[in-house]
Amino acid sequence: MTATSLIGQSIVKPDARDKALGRTQYGVDLKPRDALVAKVLRSPHPHARILRMDVSKARQLPGVVAVVTAEDTPAVHYGRWVHDRTVFARDKVRHVGEPVAAVAAVDEDTAEEALDLISVEYEQIPEVVDPQSAMAPGAPLVHEDMASYGPSTVRRGGQGNILDQTVISAGDVEKALAQCDVVQRQSYQAPATHHGTIQTHEAVASVDATGKVTLWSATKSAFAVRQTVCLALGLPMSRLRLIVTAMGGDFGARGTAVIEPIVVLLALKTHRPVALTLTRQEEFTGTSYREPAYMELEVGAKKDGTLLAVRGKYTIDTGAYHDSVGHLRPNTAMLVGPYRVPNFHLEGFVVYTNNVPRGHVRAPRAPYPIFAIESLIDAVADKLGMDPVEMRLKNAVQNGDTVPIGAVVEHVGFTQTLQAVSAHLEKEGKPQAPNQAWGVAAGQWSIHPIESGGPTSAAYVKVNEDGTAVLVTGVADQGAGQHALMAQIVAEVLSIPYDAVSLVAADTDLTPYEQATGGSRTTYRAGTTVRLAAEDARRQLISLASERLKVAGADLGMEGGKVFSREAPEVSVTLAALGAASLGSRGGPIMGSSNAGRAELMEAMAKAHGTVDGPIYCCHAAQVEVDPETGQVKVLKYFVAQDVGRALNPKLVEAQIQGGVVFGLGGALTEAVAEQQGHVLNANLLDYRQPVATSVPPIEMTLIEEPSQFGPWGAKGVGEPPTVPVGAAIANAIFRAVGARVTTLPLTPDRVVQALKNRP
Amino acid sequence: MTATSLIGQSIVKPDARDKALGRTQYGVDLKPRDALVAKVLRSPHPHARILRMDVSKARQLPGVVAVVTAEDTPAVHYGRWVHDRTVFARDKVRHVGEPVAAVAAVDEDTAEEALDLISVEYEQIPEVVDPQSAMAPGAPLVHEDMASYGPSTVRRGGQGNILDQTVISAGDVEKALAQCDVVQRQSYQAPATHHGTIQTHEAVASVDATGKVTLWSATKSAFAVRQTVCLALGLPMSRLRLIVTAMGGDFGARGTAVIEPIVVLLALKTHRPVALTLTRQEEFTGTSYREPAYMELEVGAKKDGTLLAVRGKYTIDTGAYHDSVGHLRPNTAMLVGPYRVPNFHLEGFVVYTNNVPRGHVRAPRAPYPIFAIESLIDAVADKLGMDPVEMRLKNAVQNGDTVPIGAVVEHVGFTQTLQAVSAHLEKEGKPQAPNQAWGVAAGQWSIHPIESGGPTSAAYVKVNEDGTAVLVTGVADQGAGQHALMAQIVAEVLSIPYDAVSLVAADTDLTPYEQATGGSRTTYRAGTTVRLAAEDARRQLISLASERLKVAGADLGMEGGKVFSREAPEVSVTLAALGAASLGSRGGPIMGSSNAGRAELMEAMAKAHGTVDGPIYCCHAAQVEVDPETGQVKVLKYFVAQDVGRALNPKLVEAQIQGGVVFGLGGALTEAVAEQQGHVLNANLLDYRQPVATSVPPIEMTLIEEPSQFGPWGAKGVGEPPTVPVGAAIANAIFRAVGARVTTLPLTPDRVVQALKNRP
């Protein structure tokens, strides 16, 4: 009996083959044959009052089964974090693309025709489309009276168009700056960017004779979306079941209710299945995505590279509605980067405008403040004539440090990532070709104290009569291998093969509560819950074996699908025998469960309150070649060092990091939603340019394993950090190659040419 | 805050409306568009060796994707109770209709054509088609060497064609009979009868890229069928998920794997979805149903009606394979009926023949011994000149009696049912028209000691963030209202409306283990588990409320969706608030669970070992009119008194009893599978005559509520007992009307005419 651990084995994710073969069934593939087709009428104006609306002609069109407007919904405001939305615009529209009505018809053509028959009379009012104007006195108000939205509407401390604002400070920045040998100041800017998932949003809803709704949606936050839809439509949660369908990409697109309230409303109205699939155009005006941001930053250091002070301002254009988790403080705190800075004064603002609503994109809100600080640190290092990695090493955050939000960080592997980059650059050597150079930038993620995000997760593990097992979890798989990993954890705990674990997931009725597959915390948080549930099942198996073998539980081991006496290993019983015996046993069928919190985990976390167990740090290095004539930037090589705590499934970890870098390359070089007076000018994937296979350089990496305390086997989050520093790493490489500093993302050829012209 | 209990309220079952409107989606409605059609080649002979089989031509037919035979299956024997089956006949066929091969093709015509292209060379061998011949020395053996079937094959004590035999006795029958004032002796006989469900058997299987199979089947025993299919095909249970689809009638037809191994095998072979739907003909030769039985009975009583002795023999023709639960002892014990009999000697035999396999039909094995004893008791009463109800009252089993299987019965409501019939007959008065009379017969069910059936059940109850709840249970709903009842129990325990409970059920991966929806024990056993799971959730809610209200849990009450201080009811918190708060709480989301056995239930049951808590007794009265010329029997009125323990949902209880009586009317008057040398002559619903609406008399009833100890709120089982005494009640009524005793079921006109001729 030798231990053959599954931890560290690169098990293939179960959806890989079907996806590669094009066999995966997505929501539209599963819709009932008699489903009606839904279409949404959307505002053509960024800001306008609705004077009159007439849907009667649309209702009379043969083949139209229902037309719904704000009048068909309860007068409530809803949202996942801020309750500022209604299903349809009621008195005015606040952005281009805002839903004003929807139809359900027997086919798509009829639905389209019905939209044309709805007449809406608008009175345009002045729009406000940038946060600076929106914050100015007398600016048109996007939301005139949020207080009337009801007590559940969270207003986070702002006035006028300011939704949220924060100040974080320590020490005396003025005094510290005055003592610095070098002070650098710069403004940075970054645009709205889109997830650009291949699959557009789609959902299907169906109502049974008792009025209960089943909703199929490709969401990663089934429970949160159920909650939002119930809030929007006044449904008890017992009347709505959400089943998660296959996701054709997430990247943050699938965490909030986008079209679900509309499709559920139409199903309730028509008593027929209704399917709604957004067009690509609607993806750009009818969903929510990464906020444009404006950073002003001032950094001061001593001659030896010690950082003394950071002053910063971070302003987010959140568009007409706010779909992003409201942690402004930790994101503002990112303006100091992963460094020890004794004096800082940071301000953060979230501002409503009449742009398309903003929401989550992979690593929400992190890449832009990091772009600013990592660019400016690089400039300070250059000014001081220091090696940029050396400078970062000198100031790197360490175990036990208190970070700006006031928490203590533990299990920090940042220094090792910097050392790995240093080693890699030494191995690679300085590029000898002209206009080529390496640039570096560090990144960070998950600096919230563990309890701040309210990590809520539950799972249960059944042992079948033949000793195989079933894991029931609310975790949705976005394609990143979450399900492989969760099953791997159960198999490891029960000492059975990976294939002996069946996983069923993400159905609000059937599976235990799960907050979301997101925030890079699925393995860390849900993985821990799953491990505890499997351990609960293991305890029950040991207890049953103890009865049968007449050996005390403490003297029993479990390996290779058997429970055996440690003293006399031939005294053993298979899990298959225990599974079969459990049915008739006093204890009943084996069913282990865990609630995040029920067990020792939360007790330990409570003791560690205020500390951050699994902070994630990384350092990137990009080698670029810049064409000084055209400003074209080519990324030749890429290197990542990231602290992953423990790579439970190394291939999945590598794939996440590679994917994150590629995602970051888009934001760094080409991706920007072109907005003009609230209109989106490039609402298609031809004009909105994402990286393609040929634009991706070889990506090498070193995984640092500085284990966390509470993640399973020490694992930390992986998925979001690799996206964070890409823009800064490439911007710094451009500077090292041709001496030009580009301070606005993406780093397009015209900006590079302009920066070359501005060289001192 | 007034208690508004849901117990005793007739909540409408959730599937009623969809079924009435024809909107229910059955398995075939849900099958994937690209599903292959499966067809089964079946034996035309009752007993024959397979000399040669050639499937090559069928395989070559365009459109045929797979042809499978015994060679494609592991060499194992399987079955739900007795492991005597193989998926396809291997060396010989044992009954007409036994599968020998199956095909999967692109459409039904191609599949049919492929069957024609399979050539099988048989050598017929002598068949044995009645148990008397089968038990004779030198009879052809149906199973030559069961020992070779492997150690898991349970052989219950028989030899040759006898699968099982038992003797139960007490006292000294010879001596007692000699002391009797009246002794009556009679042989009885009853045929094979069929469930006759409207929906024939259907199943769909699909395999994903990882090789995992999903099986959709309208079974009431999802876990048992999964186990059987895995055994038959050598699959780990983690590789097969069974999802229960809507049932178009059960009546015992849906408790075992019938076509599931074939459809799963074809899906595994073809890697495509496969659907198989039996024809009506196949329902009669390719499934299993009620066994023909032969009863010999001798009853002796004293002048005052006291029963002194019963001698009996009970022989079952189980066909070529045995799909019936092997409790021969309690069924043989039914030969004494629900009476105190100090001396008895009862023999029981289960015998293989070359008839179609026998299995469960509503109230398996109970109606025929009851037909015998209830007919003969009636004859004895008549001989003694006693009122037949009076005679039964005199001998009725009482609390604390030891019944023939050796268990003590408690919570017995039999006497009350007899009294209710007596009162009803008095109210109705004796029919004055010629050839009309009332007949009575008693019935019983569930006299197994509680633990003998290994009642295994588990459930969990989640509380949503808005205070509504979800019940997750393995209980399948056959249409009798099981789901309404389970949800009602949760709503009652949590003091929330019925609509606030969502129920999801019967999926082997997602739901906790559940033995079956059957044996009239779903409410009694699974209902108790569900109640305990809900109480576990309730405890968690009270505990959370206690923290928030700063009131000790013991001082808190729960009513009307609130937890409140009993001392100061204004100190309260809603379940919605508690549900929302639970997500962030130390305890995590509220998730109550129960395993039959984990909690006090099994402890209490263990203490009560050997006693029967919820025995079910009933008494029926039928008023008939007999046409002495034609022998035609018309049932004019019907009355049932049944001890249901507690009617949790009276309408559902009444519907079960009405349905059970109608089912019994079929067996009493018209239903018999016509078998000749192993062939079924009436394999269609025109020649196999079931009751129709016009043949059903008004059915009145009185519900007796003598509560059980362990059933929820005292409930006992309901569904099967009403089928049990119908044949005897009508036979006795015929005797009372025209003096003719018919001793063979069904009570057809020719038999009545013959009995009239035989009158003494």
Side-chain angles (χ1 to χ4, degrees), chain B residues 158 167 241 328 375 388 418 459 476 530 619 723:
Chain B
V167 176
R241 173 182 182 182
L328 180 59
S375 292
L418 294 169
V530 165
C619 188
T723 292

Side-chain angles (χ1 to χ4, degrees), chain B residues 273-296:
Chain B
V274 176
L276 173 51
T277 303
L278 292 191
T279 62
R280 184 62 63 186
Q281 165 88 31
E282 285 176 300
E283 281 290 304
F284 279 85
T285 61
T287 74
S288 61
Y289 41 88
R290 197 185 313 278
E291 313 97 332
Y294 303 81
M295 286 73 58
E296 291 169 37

Side-chain angles (χ1 to χ4, degrees), chain A residues 33 58 300 487 646 657 739:
Chain A
R33 278 158 241 211
R646 177 82 186 269
I657 290 176

Side-chain angles (χ1 to χ4, degrees), chain A residues 290-302:
Chain A
R290 198 185 309 280
E291 314 97 332
Y294 302 82
M295 285 74 56
E296 290 169 37
L297 206 59
E298 195 170 0
V299 171
K302 292 209 287 186

Side-chain angles (χ1 to χ4, degrees), chain A residues 466-467 541 545 548-549 560-564 572-580:
Chain A
D466 67 351
L541 286 164
R548 291 170 68 92
L549 299 176
K562 280 186 183 173
V563 177
F564 59 93
S572 70
V573 55
T574 63
L575 297 196
L578 291 172

